[in-house]
Every structure is written in structure tokens, then in C-alpha cells.
Amino acid sequence: DLPVRLDALTVAKIGLRLAMREERTSGRALAARLGIAETALRRLLDLDHQSHIRQVEAALAALGRTLVADISEAA
């Protein structure tokens, strides 16, 4: 098995999707909680869109989550 390396923003967005699923929170509900349009939340979840990591962190915080990073030596 080979490890898969993903950039921090992608990992954060995947984590946000998982947190939404765990909390059974819809995109519409989370967007309302954040005070943003549902289309803005869709862009925030889009892996191809270059969102700001702080926006993803804010969405995670609204779901009671926090982003934790780990830095290790390159292989």
C-alpha cells in the first residue's frame, strides 16, 4: 500500500464534508449558520476551487471541529 499525499486545503475540505455527514448538517443549514450563500458553501466544498483555508476552518468550527496539522520530514 502506497500512502496518498494530499494538500492541506484538500484534506480540510474532505474533513468538512465528513463533519457535515457526521452532524447530519445540510449545505443549506451550514451556509445559514455561517451567514453565507449556499453557492459560496458549494465552492468551499469544491476540491477544484482554491478556497481560503480560514474559510474552511470557520466552517469546521461551526460544526464543532478544528483543523490539526502535522509536519514531517519529506521522504
Side-chain angles (χ1 to χ4, degrees):
D1 294 347
L2 296 174
V4 176
R5 298 187 194 281
L6 302 171
D7 64 271
L9 182 58
T10 298
V11 171
K13 287 183 175 202
I14 292 169
L16 177 56
R17 280 192 178 274
L18 291 173
M20 287 174 67
R21 182 179 293 162
E22 288 173 5
E23 295 297 319
R24 295 189 170 117
T25 301
S26 69
R28 178 174 287 167
L30 183 56
R33 202 180 304 181
L34 293 169
I36 62 174
E38 193 174 353
T39 55
L41 182 66
R42 275 192 236 117
R43 282 192 302 272
L44 196 60
L45 294 167
D46 183 349
L47 297 179
D48 293 324
H49 186 267
Q50 285 299 313
S51 307
H52 294 280
I53 191 75
R54 289 186 180 182
Q55 292 173 318
V56 180
E57 287 179 304
L60 286 165
L63 295 170
R65 305 298 201 283
T66 187
L67 180 63
V68 177
D70 182 31
I71 299 173
S72 59
E73 281 189 42

